[in-house]
Amino acid sequence: MLRISIDRLNELFDAAAEKQTLYIPVDREDGGAEYKKYEKGMKLSRSLNTVRSAKDFFFPQTEDLMEFRVDKKNIEVKDIRSEAEDFVIFGVKACDVRSFSILDKVYLSDPVDSFYKNRRNHGVVISMACTHPAETCFCTAFGIDPLSPEGDAVCRMDNDYLYISALTDKGNAFIEQISHLFEDSSETEEEFGSKYRDIFSRLPLAGLSTDAFGGDKLDEYFNSDKWGELSESCIGCGTCTFVCPTCQCYDIKDFDTGNGIKRFRCWDSCMYSDFTKMAHGNPRLTQLERFRQRFMHKLVYFPACNNGEFGCVGCGRCLARCPVSMNIVKVMKDLEVKK
Amino acid sequence: MRKIGVFVCHCGTNIAATVDVKAVAEALGHEPGVVVSCEYQYMCSESGQELIKDSIKKHGLTGVVICSCSPRMHENTFRKAAASAGLNPYLVEIANIREQCSWIHKDIASATEKAIILGKAAVAKIHLNTPLTAGESPVAKKALVIGGGIAGIQTALDIAEAGFEVDIVEKKPTIGGKMAQLDKTFPTLDCAACILTPKMVECAQNEKIHIYSYSEVTEVKGFVGSFNVTIKKKARFVDETKCTGCGLCTEKCPMKKVPNEFNMGFDNRSAVYIPFAQAVPKVAVIDPANCMMLKTGKCGVCSKVCTVGAIDYKQQDTYINETYGAIVVATGYDPIDLGKYDEFAYSQSPDVITSLELERLMNAAGPDGGTLLRPSDKKHPHTIVFVQCVGSRCDDSRGKPYCSKICCMYTAKHAMLIREKYPDTDVYVFYIDVRTPGKNFDEFYRRAVEQYNVHYIKGMVGKVEPKADGKLSVQASDLISREQLHIDADLVVLAAAIEPDKTARPLATMLTTQMDTNDFFTEAHPKLRPVESATAGIFLSGACQGPKDIPETVAQASAAASKAIGLLCKNSITCNPCVAHSDELMCNGCSSCEKVCPYGAITYINKEFTMPDRTVALRRVASVNPAVCQGCGACTVACPSGAMDLNGFSNSQIMAEVDAICK
Amino acid sequence: MQEAMIKRAKELLAEGIVNRVIGWKRGEFAYDSTPAIFETPEELERDFVYDDLTASNLSKYLIKESRKAGKILAFLKPCDTYSLNQLTCEHRVIRENIHVIGIPCDPKIDAEKIKAKGISGILGIKNDGVDLTIDTIYGKESMPVSEAIMEKCLSCKGKKHVTYDELIGEDGELCDSGRFDMVAELEAMTAQERYDFWRSQLSKCIRCNACRNVCPACTCEKCVFDNDASGIANKAAADSFEENMFHIIRAFHVAGRCTDCGECSRVCPQNIPLHMLNRKFIKDINELYGTYQAGEKPDSVSPLTSYTLDDCEASIVHERGTE
Amino acid sequence: MQVNQKEFEPVIAAFCCNWCSYAGADLSGTNRLSYPSNVKIIRVPCSCRVNPMFILRAFQRGADGVIICGCHPGDCHYTSGNYFTRRRMTLLFSMLDYLGIERDRTRVEWVSAAEGAKFAATMNDFTETVRKLGPNRRLEDLRCRKQ
């Protein structure tokens, strides 16, 4: 691996930001962290994770799709797509990096979402190994190695050094740009990992298993009488969905600007009463059904369509943020008990 | 998609001179949904209306926008035209490009641009208009007249004459009002009592008329055609049905030191009394504040002397509930309190009096039998100064900004009568202007000046000071000769401004009718609907609407009666369809709307609903009575969920207008 | 306390006075709990929890619960009783179907504040009244309790219950916690500073609707922001205007009805001080129309559905304003 | 986008109640009392019909100032509507001020049907006040900016 002293991190950011737009996680005054466009002097957040996930970079909360211009009685349709600029997201944790590949399965398979693809093509993901997980973490349940995240290049950081190694051509190119800042290090990925591996086994959710779930479990869980009790406290907000790195549903809306129409999409949440509302009404009438949708999607429907891959990466954001502390872990444990 | 027709009016040159009407029609023709857009000289003319009607039929229009004068002017005209062509009248919108555009802007380019925007807003709105149908509600064939002065009496008589029942509510023990206190009337100098009392008697005798004297309206609910009114009949401690009005009780009553209101306190009455000889109903009333029996339980003389046993010390206030189709307000006026006018020494000297007090002093039925004597020493006054505009046309907070209208004429009358009866008296009248518009009014005034030599002096009295010798020192300025005048007067008469009766304001609140800042009731239109209030079914009679003399009052009283009769003739009335309505599925039943509704039009019902989740739920939801709702829209803002909306001014319609105007 | 509550709940269940209980259920971690309905003594024994971390306001659940068959037992903290009164006032709950037990309440601990100290991997939290001892996977940590108190408890209205059918423990007193101080501080800033402050806060909003959905005053059958026909529906803030719009209108809709229970700020995943919007309305109402506490009485009339003839004019905003 | 102060023409939305202020506006027209064409009037039955949503909507769509006109307190055609308006708007304006939105962009004015001159004077004054403030940037929707 290559390494750089952590005292010199900002040199690294300065150099990278010169070549392309760079986003790094920074701490906010209110205690949360968020990705921000790097500006000189910004300090890398040491938080475990940002409040919002990193999916915004490829799948932003709102995004204009097209415009209609009205001139007298004519309507002109305007394609507003343009090539995205190159950008680097630095410090993405393993869970969030995995979420990109889950989103890819949705947006890069036919029909390809050109908006998503455009951003994906221009984005470089520099991941960061996890050394300080929280009690809400359970990525390992989904086969993610928090110490060896995916991405274009992967960083590992201890108290002294930041180590970097490329995983893809994009990652190589990134390191190339700033290679003068690095020195070689004999530290191997395994050596680094072994220092922290033990922490993960001490996590309260370390034993969580997904064995009971998968694409073939529709019949077992769909009509479970546990859903009623589980969904009872759900207030139907979209917090879990909006902080979730893998929730990928959106709604398309038109906005009349007075001079024309902007058609945009925005995140939607299956927790909302108007989710997938159609001309005849809403297929999911009660909060129970909407609540069930979210967890069935992540634990059953998604794996059913994606070779068994679950639609959750165990980042723990929903555990931390749900106003009523109802979450996927409780759902998994409760449903399992029934079996 | 709507098929909208746009009709731009030139209004001769009123609009066309500053707004390029052709450009407006052209621009609006490009708006979505507009299938025809044209301009014409006078849209409101017969041929203009024909143009609209023909277009509606030819193009199958589903919306009409007229760019013209204010909707307050011709909205109804165009709605009727649309209706006659088969289009729902509420699918018509007016863009006001005259009063709010061509008349206020001079630059053609900007006026035209604004006219186009106003037109676009109307087009945007009409896209969202819905056909509205006015509902109907029944009319109770009975009228209520509030106030039993000459206005109320005349109105009641006219309504009764037309064959409808009418109730008069009068707060005093007798009807008659101010006119009953007057001596002679201008400009004919006939005796007020002689012309009023027969009418009072007629009221009492007319079987269609019921008089609630010594009564007050305490609650008004309901709406045009069906007002539910609660009347408080104050305890008079005399059984009206038994009392013959013989007056024996009033003679024997030992408590005789009560100032007599009817004579403006110049003499006294007993605790049980009949206000005056011609009172209607001629029934005694016990004044509980002064009756020994009611105060201490010791006396009972009246009860002993009453031969018919009409005295009832235990009588209580009673409440009567009646339903009326129409209500006429005739609450009249009062002279203002002159307590704040120290400079005229009104509070200091008994010889400084108001004109109304003078009426009593000069009245044959007055305290001195019609001989004019000074209140202080009961001597004949030789020098009398009249001061005009005391509190009228006043720009400070003590008085009223308006002209009280009747003072010039009654002062001329007073001056003339005094000079006629006591030619040795010097009469001075200080005035700002003498206003005498009215039939035979100016001739009357000139007679006072020319024939009776009343000294009219343009100028204001600065100060009146009682002197040790009993005279009143009057300092005044003569604005024409520019001299300071000094007159030693025996009597000073102040023409106090008149103001609406104090009960008018709370009554207006009960009736939900509009008042102006002076507490005069506001008419629905100052020119075209002068006797109607803006609240349907409430009519205005007499001085409650503004200062008036007797002939005007009577004229208005009859006009109000005819409007009320017009309403009572109908079996049902059409309601304003621009009312609030609640989307029951969205309503929370939280009662916010109910709390802000001035009309009590919103009630709550428990109703079963099939909810979006297909469960059946019993829910509390708001329900608007469209006949009661007047369409103010207060509820629509109080409602957080937007369940409450207003026909004709819906949230989406107003927002569409906002969008069009701001873009 | 928890034991006393469970005991009393079991009694009421056994006596048939209530057929279910709403309370808090033990969560996954040391600090989380979920509002839950309990129907049997066994469920109560197993899952019921009440401690210094059970902060959520249960009143809003009673809208639905009070319409179900049978009576429900609700454990309400002092501030929650205001919400219930307000809901009763607005006919949103059927009060007769609720048996309210007022429970005392000490300042709640905000796990977010512990985490903000960088304390992670929390396994257990102990409160000795002065310090918190936090057991984590990385070892023991400690911090003063005072630094971990939940925002809504820092501005506690008092420990008095405004409605209850019975009490466990003593009823407390009202108190003044200077809850308007922060609003006043903001008011004293320049317009530009205020604008910058709110922009930095509201721009964090992800429109998850947690604030709205948890709010006991936001009980519309269908929110205007979810209603396409309202003309202002917005699912996401596509422009900074919409961030402002949502929060201004929401605050306005609950003005005069908001009891200042603080749930909005508690649940905001982005830590936006939303209570500072509602509290501004409360402060204005108190100053301009007389002190008013929504939910204090079950029949109070909101200052926005009433008026007096001599109310101040809107120009007061100009007159008293700082730059 | 730099806007030249001289070229800036504010967009003013005026909500006028039908019975007093709209009639007052008509009267100022009848009396030919001019006020700037920037002012566009929206007729509402009563000032209490004005929902805060409408005001925000106007700012969103490009208004630089919003004024609400109604009957004088006590003279409301519907007796009490403007009293509610007064409370609602006071609180709303105070909130906008609190959020740092220029407080001079909003106003409530009571104009009777007889006050044509007051209407014109009010609109002249308000337009000039807003003109001085410049374009509304703090409460606009960028998507609605004129192109």
Side-chain angles (χ1 to χ4, degrees):
Chain A
M1 293 194 288
L2 297 170
R3 74 176 192 192
I4 179 173
S5 160
I6 58 165
D7 304 333
R8 296 178 62 206
L9 270 185
N10 278 67
E11 283 176 51
L12 186 157
F13 296 146
D14 290 341
E18 242 172 59
K19 311 278 181 188
Q20 65 267 296
T21 309
L22 170 70
Y23 295 93
I24 64 164
V26 294
D27 286 326
R28 276 197 313 237
E29 269 180 35
D30 62 39
E34 65 183 346
Y35 281 101
K36 277 208 149 164
K37 192 168 166 177
Y38 178 76
E39 282 165 31
K40 238 181 167 31
M42 270 185 183
K43 217 171 146 258
L44 180 73
S45 166
R46 302 302 293 260
S47 300
L48 171 70
N49 240 329
T50 50
V51 178
R52 297 169 73 146
S53 80
K55 76 176 172 189
D56 296 50
F57 288 106
F58 305 116
F59 175 46
Q61 183 158 17
T62 65
E63 175 169 39
D64 288 340
L65 301 178
M66 63 205 290
E67 277 179 32
F68 306 92
R69 295 275 174 105
V70 183
D71 180 34
K72 293 177 180 168
K73 283 176 179 156
N74 301 317
I75 297 175
E76 182 202 344
V77 180
K78 222 180 141 199
D79 188 346
I80 54 167
R81 278 176 293 187
S82 62
E83 205 64 19
E85 58 167 7
D86 288 337
F87 63 96
V88 171
I89 333 167
F90 183 89
V92 187
K93 298 285 172 0
C95 47
D96 280 8
V97 184
R98 172 64 64 84
S99 78
F100 301 150
S101 66
I102 290 175
L103 294 177
D104 287 349
K105 288 191 166 65
V106 178
Y107 288 123
L108 295 184
S109 56
D110 253 3
V112 172
D113 186 301
S114 54
F115 295 89
Y116 179 86
K117 189 179 173 201
N118 184 8
R119 290 205 170 80
R120 200 76 174 92
N121 287 346
H122 286 274
V124 179
V125 176
I126 312 296
S127 59
M128 176 73 76
C130 238
T131 56
H132 200 77
E135 67 282 3
T136 49
C137 286
F138 58 107
C139 63
T140 50
F142 297 101
I144 296 168
D145 180 353
L147 288 159
S148 292
E150 297 148 3
D152 294 310
V154 53
C155 296
R156 293 175 171 83
M157 197 158 73
D158 56 25
N159 289 334
D160 305 313
Y161 294 102
L162 176 114
Y163 305 91
I164 191 165
S165 47
L167 296 175
T168 67
D169 293 345
K170 269 186 183 174
N172 261 324
F174 172 76
I175 295 171
E176 205 61 27
Q177 288 173 8
I178 48 171
S179 56
H180 60 282
L181 295 170
F182 294 110
E183 54 186 14
D184 280 324
S185 155
S186 59
E187 176 101 349
T188 66
E189 289 152 17
E190 288 70 33
E191 280 167 6
F192 182 92
S194 63
K195 285 187 272 184
Y196 300 97
R197 187 78 56 200
D198 174 49
I199 297 170
F200 290 89
S201 60
R202 296 208 299 270
L203 285 173
L205 300 178
L208 191 71
S209 156
T210 55
D211 293 350
F213 300 93
D216 55 345
K217 305 289 195 219
L218 177 70
D219 293 341
E220 268 167 64
Y221 296 127
F222 190 81
N223 287 320
S224 163
D225 52 16
K226 286 278 177 187
W227 291 116
E229 199 182 306
L230 284 166
S231 64
E232 208 153 37
S233 60
C234 176
I235 60 172
C237 74
T239 308
C240 53
T241 327
F242 288 179
V243 297
C244 178
T246 65
C247 271
Q248 73 262 151
C249 295
Y250 62 82
D251 194 4
I252 296 181
K253 298 260 176 193
D254 282 354
F255 177 77
D256 182 355
T257 65
N259 308 301
I261 305 288
K262 270 192 200 302
R263 176 161 293 175
F264 67 102
R265 68 171 165 198
C266 60
W267 292 351
D268 204 346
S269 170
C270 46
M271 294 293 176
Y272 290 167
S273 57
D274 63 346
F275 182 70
T276 65
K277 189 174 168 189
M278 292 169 273
H280 88 285
N282 198 318
R284 283 173 283 273
L285 297 169
T286 61
Q287 200 57 32
L288 182 154
E289 291 163 290
R290 299 190 276 267
F291 182 89
R292 177 176 62 193
Q293 168 66 19
R294 181 159 196 275
F295 299 103
M296 287 295 279
H297 189 199
K298 298 216 179 293
L299 298 171
V300 179
Y301 311 152
F302 197 85
C305 304
N306 293 284
N307 303 320
E309 178 155 11
F310 290 100
C312 175
V313 293
C315 71
R317 286 187 177 88
C318 56
L319 278 67
R321 298 294 165 191
C322 176
V324 298
S325 300
M326 180 43 69
N327 53 56
I328 193 164
V329 172
K330 285 185 184 170
V331 168
M332 286 167 77
K333 289 187 172 177
D334 258 37
L335 285 181
E336 258 187 306
V337 169
K338 195 216 158 206
K339 269 179 75 189
Chain B
M1 189 70 178
R2 282 279 152 85
K3 285 189 199 167
I4 296 163
V6 175
F7 303 89
V8 185
C9 180
H10 297 205
C11 196
T13 56
N14 277 309
I15 293 171
T18 28
V19 169
D20 182 346
V21 285
K22 282 201 166 51
V24 174
E26 156 80 16
L28 296 180
H30 297 308
E31 284 298 287
V34 176
V35 293
V36 55
S37 183
C38 58
E39 18 85 32
Y40 188 71
Q41 204 104 56
Y42 289 104
M43 280 296 170
C44 61
S45 70
E46 183 122 7
S47 45
Q49 292 188 44
E50 279 309 314
L51 174 70
I52 297 168
K53 290 186 213 169
D54 288 347
S55 297
I56 291 173
K57 288 175 194 152
K58 186 176 159 206
H59 299 281
L61 297 183
T62 59
V64 166
V65 167
I66 294 155
C67 303
S68 62
C69 54
S70 171
R72 293 173 59 85
M73 189 70 77
H74 276 310
E75 191 170 52
N76 267 332
T77 313
F78 293 122
R79 278 183 176 166
K80 277 183 190 151
S84 74
L87 183 69
N88 183 286
Y90 294 92
L91 297 175
V92 175
E93 283 296 328
I94 313 277
N96 183 345
I97 62 165
R98 192 179 75 174
E99 283 85 345
Q100 294 178 8
C101 189
S102 71
W103 277 355
I104 43 168
H105 306 312
K106 295 184 181 70
D107 173 49
I108 294 183
S110 63
T112 305
E113 190 196 340
K114 175 168 167 180
I116 292 170
I117 291 173
L118 295 178
K120 283 181 176 176
V123 171
K125 183 178 181 191
I126 201 120
H127 271 283
L128 301 160
N129 280 28
T130 47
L132 301 176
T133 317
E136 290 200 337
S137 69
V139 178
K141 304 276 181 185
K142 191 173 185 179
L144 171 66
V145 175
I146 304 171
I150 180 61
I153 288 170
Q154 184 64 42
T155 302
L157 287 172
D158 285 357
I159 294 173
E161 181 75 4
F164 295 103
E165 283 191 50
V166 51
D167 291 350
I168 300 175
V169 171
E170 168 58 52
K171 66 174 186 292
K172 300 238 173 80
T174 172
I175 60 169
K178 290 283 172 307
M179 188 174 168
Q181 290 176 280
L182 303 185
D183 182 28
K184 303 276 192 314
T185 57
F186 61 79
T188 47
L189 297 182
D190 39 1
C191 144
C194 309
I195 52 178
L196 176 67
T197 47
K199 279 189 181 287
M200 291 164 63
V201 172
E202 222 182 309
C203 278
Q205 289 174 347
N206 193 315
E207 56 188 26
K208 294 277 183 193
I209 300 179
H210 184 87
I211 300 168
Y212 291 104
S213 61
Y214 209 47
S215 300
E216 284 163 19
V217 171
T218 54
E219 192 178 21
V220 180
K221 278 183 173 167
F223 47 94
V224 56
S226 177
F227 291 107
N228 226 302
V229 180
T230 307
I231 299 163
K232 176 167 102 174
K233 232 172 133 16
K234 293 180 276 189
R236 59 197 299 157
F237 307 104
V238 174
D239 186 336
E240 267 184 287
T241 57
K242 289 182 185 161
C243 177
T244 60
C246 69
L248 198 58
C249 55
T250 67
E251 281 167 33
K252 301 291 181 201
C253 175
M255 177 65 207
K256 288 207 160 52
K257 295 280 181 211
V258 186
N260 181 358
E261 301 90 348
F262 185 72
N263 274 338
M264 306 303 287
F266 286 124
D267 60 3
N268 291 329
R269 61 162 170 81
S270 47
V272 55
Y273 68 106
I274 295 171
F276 56 97
Q278 297 86 3
V280 170
K282 197 167 180 193
V283 173
V285 55
I286 297 179
D287 165 5
N290 291 295
C291 170
M292 296 311 290
M293 184 65 187
L294 290 172
K295 276 164 71 181
T296 64
K298 286 177 194 137
C299 181
V301 171
C302 51
S303 172
K304 283 172 209 142
V305 300
C306 182
T307 53
V308 292
I311 305 291
D312 174 6
Y313 299 117
K314 296 215 167 65
Q315 208 176 62
Q316 301 274 324
D317 293 352
T318 49
Y319 290 85
I320 294 145
N321 232 302
E322 279 281 356
T323 302
Y324 301 99
I327 296 177
V328 182
V329 182
T331 45
Y333 74 93
D334 267 316
I336 61 166
D337 175 26
L338 294 182
K340 287 178 187 162
Y341 285 86
D342 273 348
E343 68 264 42
F344 298 130
Y346 177 74
S347 320
Q348 291 109 293
S349 169
D351 296 332
V352 180
I353 60 172
T354 67
S355 301
L356 189 58
E357 287 164 357
L358 181 65
E359 293 282 353
R360 292 317 300 160
L361 287 183
M362 289 170 69
N363 197 297
D368 303 316
T371 312
L372 177 61
L373 300 174
R374 299 213 310 174
S376 60
D377 53 11
K378 296 286 174 190
K379 283 186 185 155
H380 173 63
H382 291 279
T383 306
I384 303 179
V385 169
F386 285 88
V387 185
Q388 297 286 76
C389 291
V390 179
S392 297
R393 305 171 70 192
C394 175
D395 45 19
D396 66 35
S397 61
R398 297 187 302 172
K400 304 290 174 184
Y402 50 85
C403 165
S404 294
K405 198 171 182 178
I406 54 175
C407 325
C408 287
M409 289 305 293
Y410 69 58
T411 301
K413 172 190 79 177
H414 289 150
M416 198 187 287
L417 287 172
I418 289 168
R419 290 280 299 153
E420 163 91 23
K421 209 167 170 185
Y422 311 104
D424 60 337
T425 314
D426 271 335
V427 176
Y428 297 89
V429 177
F430 287 92
Y431 67 93
I432 306 175
D433 296 295
V434 176
R435 295 179 163 178
T436 57
K439 193 174 172 184
N440 294 326
F441 282 14
D442 204 55
E443 294 90 324
F444 182 81
Y445 154 66
R446 283 213 311 272
R447 240 164 71 211
V449 179
E450 291 160 11
Q451 210 173 315
Y452 289 93
N453 292 319
V454 178
H455 307 299
Y456 268 80
I457 300 166
K458 186 175 175 72
M460 266 315 277
V461 170
K463 198 165 183 57
V464 176
E465 255 180 312
K467 300 203 317 187
D469 61 359
K471 290 265 184 191
L472 295 159
S473 156
V474 178
Q475 291 168 37
S477 53
D478 181 334
L479 289 178
I480 292 173
S481 68
R482 294 179 182 276
E483 281 175 47
Q484 284 298 104
L485 297 181
H486 195 105
I487 300 167
D488 277 345
D490 298 310
L491 190 66
V492 171
V493 185
L494 307 176
I498 61 173
E499 64 181 0
D501 191 90
K502 291 273 181 280
T503 59
R505 173 61 71 178
L507 181 65
T509 310
M510 273 189 263
L511 295 170
T512 62
T513 47
Q514 205 177 352
M515 284 191 138
D516 64 19
T517 42
N518 298 311
D519 281 10
F520 286 114
F521 283 87
T522 307
E523 59 282 4
H525 190 284
K527 296 184 188 74
L528 303 177
R529 295 171 69 192
V531 299
E532 295 157 78
S533 80
T535 306
I538 312 273
F539 305 99
L540 309 174
S541 174
C544 68
Q545 177 261 348
K548 275 179 199 63
D549 61 22
I550 294 167
E552 273 183 325
T553 296
V554 172
Q556 208 206 13
S558 288
S562 82
K563 282 286 168 190
I565 293 163
L567 169 60
L568 297 178
C569 280
K570 293 176 185 165
N571 288 321
S572 64
I573 36 155
T574 46
C575 312
N576 166 25
C578 292
V579 293
H581 60 90
S582 159
D583 182 333
E584 293 182 336
L585 269 182
M586 291 210 297
C587 175
N588 300 331
C590 72
S591 283
S592 296
C593 54
E594 179 199 26
K595 286 177 190 139
V596 300
C597 179
Y599 304 98
I602 301 168
T603 49
Y604 285 84
I605 46 171
N606 283 310
K607 209 169 155 182
E608 264 191 7
F609 288 89
T610 304
M611 300 305 291
D613 64 3
R614 291 185 201 144
T615 55
V616 175
L618 186 69
R619 293 173 53 230
R620 180 178 195 269
V621 291
S623 163
V624 181
N625 183 339
V628 184
C629 175
Q630 297 291 309
C632 67
C635 54
T636 61
V637 183
C639 177
S641 65
M644 197 60 89
D645 211 346
L646 188 64
N647 287 339
F649 295 94
S650 69
N651 286 332
S652 55
Q653 283 176 312
I654 295 173
M655 283 196 276
E657 282 183 273
V658 168
D659 289 2
I661 276 170
C662 297
K663 79 179 177 190
Chain C
M1 181 50 53
Q2 182 177 312
E3 279 60 49
M5 288 161 73
I6 294 173
K7 179 168 171 277
R8 185 64 189 135
K10 283 199 222 162
E11 282 168 16
L12 288 165
L13 276 177
E15 288 164 23
I17 291 169
V18 299
N19 64 359
R20 54 212 201 286
V21 180
I22 183 162
W24 300 266
K25 191 173 178 172
R26 203 170 295 284
E28 196 59 45
F29 305 112
Y31 51 78
D32 69 327
S33 63
T34 302
I37 311 288
F38 304 85
E39 289 178 7
T40 62
E42 296 74 36
E43 286 172 359
L44 284 165
E45 280 295 342
R46 189 179 66 227
D47 293 326
F48 187 93
V49 62
Y50 181 72
D51 57 24
D52 47 11
L53 284 144
T54 44
S56 54
N57 179 350
L58 303 177
S59 298
K60 194 175 183 180
Y61 289 102
L62 295 169
I63 296 173
K64 220 169 151 187
E65 289 300 329
S66 72
R67 285 180 164 75
K68 292 181 180 167
K71 209 165 181 175
I72 184 163
L73 166 60
F75 288 109
L76 297 184
K77 301 187 276 12
C79 58
D80 305 345
T81 59
Y82 288 84
S83 306
L84 182 68
N85 253 358
Q86 185 63 25
L87 288 166
T88 310
C89 173
E90 293 174 7
H91 308 274
R92 298 298 283 144
V93 294
I94 300 168
R95 181 68 179 82
E96 304 83 78
N97 291 345
I98 309 164
H99 186 87
V100 176
I101 295 186
I103 47 170
C105 169
D106 286 320
K108 298 291 179 189
I109 302 300
D110 187 351
E112 282 301 306
K113 287 194 172 173
I114 301 176
K115 293 182 189 178
K117 292 262 176 195
I119 299 172
S120 183
I122 300 168
L123 298 173
I125 300 172
K126 281 212 168 54
N127 181 354
D128 67 9
V130 181
D131 286 307
L132 291 180
T133 311
I134 303 132
D135 187 19
T136 81
I137 54 170
Y138 304 105
K140 281 215 187 319
E141 301 267 4
S142 86
M143 68 184 285
V145 174
S146 59
E147 288 174 24
I149 292 174
M150 189 158 277
E151 169 58 39
K152 69 173 186 175
C153 301
L154 287 174
S155 47
C156 179
K157 287 188 289 286
K159 299 187 175 185
K160 187 175 154 54
H161 297 80
V162 290
T163 181
Y164 56 82
D165 297 302
E166 60 181 281
L167 284 174
I168 293 184
E170 292 288 302
D171 203 16
E173 295 294 313
L174 293 176
C175 69
D176 179 20
S177 53
R179 61 191 172 121
F180 299 116
D181 296 353
M182 276 289 283
V183 177
E185 259 176 54
L186 259 178
E187 285 171 343
M189 293 181 182
T190 66
Q192 183 68 47
E193 286 167 342
R194 290 196 299 272
Y195 179 73
D196 293 341
F197 172 81
W198 281 112
R199 213 69 291 292
S200 73
Q201 291 297 340
L202 296 181
S203 63
K204 293 190 292 191
C205 174
I206 57 171
R207 278 309 309 283
C208 64
N209 292 319
C211 52
R212 180 193 73 184
N213 290 16
V214 82
C215 174
C218 268
T219 64
C220 285
E221 293 285 333
K222 195 179 188 85
C223 175
V224 283
F225 291 105
D226 288 349
N227 180 2
D228 284 322
S230 75
I232 60 162
N234 69 15
K235 197 168 242 173
D239 186 273
S240 62
F241 170 83
E242 289 187 327
E243 289 160 0
N244 290 333
M245 172 86 161
F246 175 79
H247 291 289
I248 295 171
I249 294 293
R250 202 186 87 76
F252 189 85
H253 280 179
V254 301
R257 305 166 52 233
C258 166
T259 65
D260 202 6
C261 77
E263 284 286 271
C264 47
S265 294
R266 181 183 70 84
V267 302
C268 179
Q270 291 281 55
N271 296 332
I272 303 171
L274 294 163
H275 63 280
M276 296 268 287
L277 291 174
N278 303 320
R279 225 172 257 177
K280 166 66 176 167
F281 274 132
I282 297 171
K283 182 169 182 280
D284 274 348
I285 286 168
N286 285 349
E287 286 172 4
L288 301 174
Y289 310 124
T291 307
Y292 179 81
Q293 172 60 53
E296 195 176 7
K297 298 185 197 85
D299 54 358
S300 43
V301 177
S302 151
L304 271 142
T305 57
S306 58
Y307 61 86
T308 64
L309 301 184
D310 49 6
D311 282 343
C312 63
E313 296 294 337
S315 54
I316 185 119
V317 176
H318 299 246
E319 288 149 17
R320 67 175 183 178
T322 52
E323 196 300 309
Chain D
M1 191 174 75
Q2 267 294 334
V3 175
N4 189 325
Q5 283 286 314
K6 269 188 184 161
E7 285 169 11
F8 169 61
E9 282 298 337
V11 175
I12 310 278
F15 292 95
C16 292
C17 83
N18 183 49
W19 304 96
C20 283
S21 305
Y22 193 88
D26 277 355
L27 184 62
S28 81
T30 311
N31 294 342
R32 310 298 197 275
L33 302 168
S34 76
Y35 52 87
S37 62
N38 308 55
V39 177
K40 316 279 190 310
I41 293 171
I42 296 161
R43 184 165 71 129
V44 285
C46 175
S47 59
C48 70
R49 178 68 189 89
V50 180
N51 196 310
M53 292 193 312
F54 303 160
I55 295 164
L56 296 184
R57 177 85 164 204
F59 283 123
Q60 176 185 30
R61 302 291 160 148
D64 300 295
V66 177
I67 182 165
I68 291 103
C69 300
C71 309
H72 286 269
D75 296 350
C76 175
H77 174 77
Y78 304 100
T79 68
S80 55
N82 51 5
Y83 290 122
F84 292 117
T85 310
R86 189 159 63 177
R87 283 204 170 184
R88 289 168 183 166
M89 293 307 142
T90 303
L91 291 176
L92 177 72
F93 294 175
S94 180
M95 176 54 77
L96 293 178
D97 180 49
Y98 184 63
L99 292 174
I101 315 298
E102 303 92 335
R103 64 176 79 96
D104 286 336
R105 292 198 190 278
T106 49
R107 192 182 287 189
V108 169
E109 201 74 57
W110 311 122
V111 181
S112 81
E115 293 175 322
K118 182 180 179 187
F119 186 86
T122 300
M123 293 306 153
N124 278 310
D125 179 67
F126 187 60
T127 310
E128 281 324 298
T129 304
V130 175
R131 194 191 300 278
K132 279 190 205 116
L133 282 177
N136 158 37
R137 288 288 175 257
R138 291 183 181 173
L139 201 57
E140 73 166 342
D141 192 322
L142 280 173
R143 298 169 298 176
C144 301
R145 244 194 216 185
K146 284 172 207 81
Q147 282 131 4

